[in-house]
Amino acid sequence: MKRNLIEDLGLTIDQSKGVFPAILGADLQLAGQGGATPLFTPVDGAALGSLRMASVEQVEQAIARAEAAFLQLRTIPAPQRGEFVRLLGNLFREHKQVLAELITLECGKILQESLGEVQEVIDICDFAVGISRQLHGLTIASERPDHRMMEQWHPLGPVATITAFNFPMAVWAWNAMLSFVCGDPIIWKPSEKTPLCALACQKLINQVLRMIPQFPSGIAQVVIGDAQVGQQLAASRRIALVSATGSVSMGKQVATTVAGRLGRSLLELGGNNAMIVAESADLDMALRAIVFSAVGTCGQRCTSLRRLIVQESIAEQLLQRLRPSYASLSIGDPFSDSVLVGPLIDLQAFEKMQSAIQIALEEGGELICGGERVMVPGKEGGIYVKPAIIRTPHTASVIKQETFAPILYVMTFSTVAEAIEIQNSVPQGLSSAIFTRDLGEAELFLSPRGSDCGLANVNIGTSGAEIGGAFGGEKETGGGRESGSDAWKNYMRRATNTINYGSDIPLAQGIQFG
């Protein structure tokens, strides 16, 4: 199936050797000129092919193509740019199943979650089409007679987006669809672990460009490379916005480089998310939310539940219910309909998981269940694990760091105010949740004295955000916002205009000059 899937999508340069391009656009498909790297599927560790990374010269050429495309794209009316996105969304609908299979093949999440990711792409296409007719500014009252003030939003320029392996299509789409309707070409550097998903998405864009050839061919490009390619994009003054999703350490490097040229960056980094379960909570609801949030994508979502903060009076009761839920989790082939937990992305992820568990135990934690590797028949090359639950003090240093694996740290509290303090005590601030039937507790959690995260939920889990809301977080999560609400403003520049339709030149603030 692996070979048929890749051949059906037409992703390779040389099908007989499984060689993939490092540069893909509407009118070009180029092998990289940098170092070679093999590609593997986490499902069973089998080889998928190989590619060479893009070189410095190839990245510069991609930037030049994006610059040229911007000069044309910015003059195309926004609703026509929305039509481009509408047609692209239709292609994602048409190819939803095969794209989901490619996500599962390349990053290992179960097929149901992969189908959900492609649906996210479709949803942001629909959202962006609507936004294309709503890129409006304000009319502002002027203090001067016969004057009018207004603001306009104009296309910003070429956008570079750097994405992680865990959502190899959706996060690009959050950025790309808004970029397109806002009038910005995009250069996509995907994770080196999931480049085939990027190539497949670009293939669909190429189809749309053949339907409407008046659009510039450089509107979208894939550039596959290592961290040096990301740094090159971040350092380029010709890139108007760098949107980066990934680890805190990566984000700091990108932010420092972009800030060095006083450029714009949009960062969506580490999560380390918490859920508070109060004694008034509906435990049936809470249990379902805990399990999906903690083990979905094998704990490799930026919104995965890492810390469970439970009121002392119900802690033992909840743990007693969690143990059998974890014990019954089906772990194995992510293409199987009966499986709920697929593999980790690679051996390095497993080693980091084992290290975090060991540190937690050394710091006074108690391993309740899980943590060990699982050998799946026929998939021995895949890294499968049992999700772990560790009861730990909330002061342990290990819980301050995000481990991208299915480890759930459980701690207790006496008052909701204390629980909020525990939740907010980590450096990250992406997603958070409280389960309670007490209106006062819910409102406190959502108030200025409550959660300090970008996402704060009541009676739902930390994972599974909808397209309509702005997605992102605070503190070391980076402060960026993608996807819904007014996130489109990241991809445009604002101009405030003052129009004098009178015959005098009055000055603001009543200044008399001459």
Side-chain angles (χ1 to χ4, degrees):
M1 186 190 73
K2 302 183 191 70
R3 177 61 58 196
N4 291 340
L5 178 61
I6 291 169
E7 290 177 357
D8 289 347
L9 289 167
L11 301 183
T12 54
I13 293 176
D14 185 339
Q15 289 192 0
S16 65
K17 296 181 180 179
V19 178
F20 300 96
I23 306 286
L24 185 62
D27 52 7
L28 77 164
Q29 178 173 278
L30 303 173
Q33 297 171 348
T37 184
L39 303 177
F40 302 94
T41 171
V43 176
D44 58 8
L48 296 176
S50 65
L51 57 78
R52 299 184 71 88
M53 300 293 185
S55 67
V56 171
E57 292 78 12
Q58 289 178 312
V59 175
E60 286 301 312
Q61 292 164 4
I63 295 171
R65 286 189 291 269
E67 263 194 316
F70 174 64
L71 299 180
Q72 182 180 349
L73 186 61
R74 66 183 179 179
T75 66
I76 298 174
Q80 291 184 30
R81 302 192 298 252
E83 174 64 7
F84 175 90
V85 172
R86 187 188 71 81
L87 293 172
L88 184 56
N90 286 345
L91 287 180
F92 275 96
R93 284 183 173 88
E94 180 182 343
H95 299 287
K96 181 177 179 179
Q97 181 69 33
V98 69
L99 291 171
E101 290 173 4
L102 181 60
I103 292 172
T104 295
L105 177 68
E106 202 172 24
C107 86
K109 67 175 66 174
I110 64 171
L111 190 56
Q112 271 298 308
E113 291 187 73
S114 297
L115 287 165
E117 178 167 353
V118 182
Q119 186 61 48
E120 256 190 274
V121 177
I122 295 166
D123 291 346
I124 193 62
C125 287
D126 290 347
F127 180 86
V129 171
I131 287 293
S132 72
R133 293 181 181 271
Q134 300 179 69
L135 302 175
H136 49 70
L138 300 172
T139 297
I140 305 162
S142 173
E143 66 186 60
R144 290 170 281 188
D146 298 334
H147 283 59
R148 179 170 66 85
M149 293 178 66
M150 69 178 190
E151 65 179 26
Q152 297 185 79
W153 292 89
H154 295 304
L156 181 63
V159 173
T161 184
I162 300 168
T163 59
F165 76 86
N166 58 332
F167 278 85
M169 293 186 188
V171 174
W172 160 79
W174 294 350
N175 288 274
M177 303 313 154
L178 293 182
S179 292
F180 295 153
V181 299
C182 290
D184 305 329
I186 194 161
I187 298 173
W188 180 10
K189 192 202 94 63
S191 167
E192 307 94 293
K193 297 176 182 179
T194 52
L196 304 187
C197 287
L199 297 177
C201 291
Q202 181 65 44
K203 287 281 187 178
L204 297 186
I205 288 174
N206 294 351
Q207 288 187 40
V208 177
L209 286 169
R210 288 193 287 272
M211 297 178 202
I212 44 176
Q214 66 269 31
F215 273 70
S217 60
I219 187 175
Q221 301 171 82
V222 171
V223 175
I224 299 170
D226 56 16
Q228 292 305 311
V229 168
Q231 281 297 303
Q232 184 179 350
L233 291 169
S236 176
R237 294 183 180 275
R238 296 182 290 168
I239 298 295
L241 172 69
V242 179
S243 175
T245 300
S247 68
V248 172
S249 60
M250 179 277 293
K252 287 180 178 179
Q253 292 177 8
V254 168
T256 300
T257 301
V258 175
R261 59 178 176 87
L262 298 181
R264 285 200 206 182
S265 61
L266 193 168
L267 304 175
E268 199 280 288
L269 309 174
N272 204 2
N273 314 292
M275 179 192 294
I276 297 168
V277 182
E279 59 188 4
S280 66
D282 181 323
L283 292 188
D284 289 332
M285 287 177 59
L287 188 65
R288 293 196 298 273
I290 291 165
V291 174
F292 175 72
S293 296
V295 310
T297 319
C298 199
Q300 297 171 114
R301 291 183 173 219
C302 51
T303 54
S304 289
L305 180 60
R306 312 289 181 197
R307 297 173 296 134
L308 183 61
I309 308 168
V310 188
Q311 199 145 23
E312 292 168 347
S313 58
I314 60 167
E316 291 304 325
Q317 179 186 357
L318 185 57
L319 277 173
Q320 287 175 10
R321 298 185 65 176
L322 263 179
R323 287 189 190 95
S325 293
Y326 266 54
S328 66
L329 288 170
S330 52
I331 302 165
D333 183 355
F335 285 100
S336 171
D337 291 339
S338 63
V339 166
L340 296 178
V341 182
L344 289 169
I345 188 66
D346 55 26
L347 181 60
Q348 184 182 33
F350 176 72
E351 290 170 347
K352 289 181 177 180
M353 179 181 182
Q354 296 307 299
S355 175
I357 290 172
Q358 185 59 39
I359 293 170
L361 298 181
E362 291 171 358
E363 294 186 333
E366 175 193 359
L367 181 62
I368 303 298
C369 64
E372 65 269 31
R373 187 169 174 180
V374 176
M375 300 307 295
V376 176
K379 311 292 179 188
E380 287 81 6
I383 310 298
Y384 295 84
V385 296
K386 289 186 178 180
I389 299 175
I390 300 176
R391 191 162 185 173
T392 184
H394 68 81
T395 54
S397 67
V398 70
I399 68 170
K400 308 294 184 185
Q401 306 301 318
E402 181 184 43
T403 301
F404 230 52
I407 303 174
L408 182 62
Y409 300 109
V410 180
M411 56 213 74
T412 59
F413 70 91
S414 56
T415 68
V416 169
E418 179 193 3
I420 292 172
E421 183 178 353
I422 293 170
Q423 177 202 281
N424 293 346
S425 66
V426 299
Q428 309 86 358
L430 178 54
S431 188
S432 60
I434 186 171
F435 271 78
T436 179
R437 290 299 187 189
D438 185 300
L439 180 62
E441 291 176 343
E443 290 293 340
L444 174 64
F445 182 76
L446 301 178
S447 77
R449 294 185 289 132
S451 171
D452 64 0
C453 296
L455 306 173
N457 302 328
V458 176
N459 293 330
I460 66 168
T462 58
S463 222
E466 297 181 27
I467 285 300
F471 183 92
E474 303 302 326
K475 301 186 294 188
E476 287 191 357
T477 302
R481 293 297 186 276
E482 298 170 309
S483 188
S485 186
D486 64 350
W488 60 269
K489 293 179 179 178
N490 288 303
Y491 307 90
M492 305 199 84
R493 61 177 179 87
R494 181 179 358 212
T496 300
N497 313 131
T498 304
I499 302 97
N500 179 358
Y501 55 90
S503 57
D504 199 2
I505 303 289
L507 300 178
Q509 294 84 48
I511 293 173
Q512 300 296 318
F513 187 77

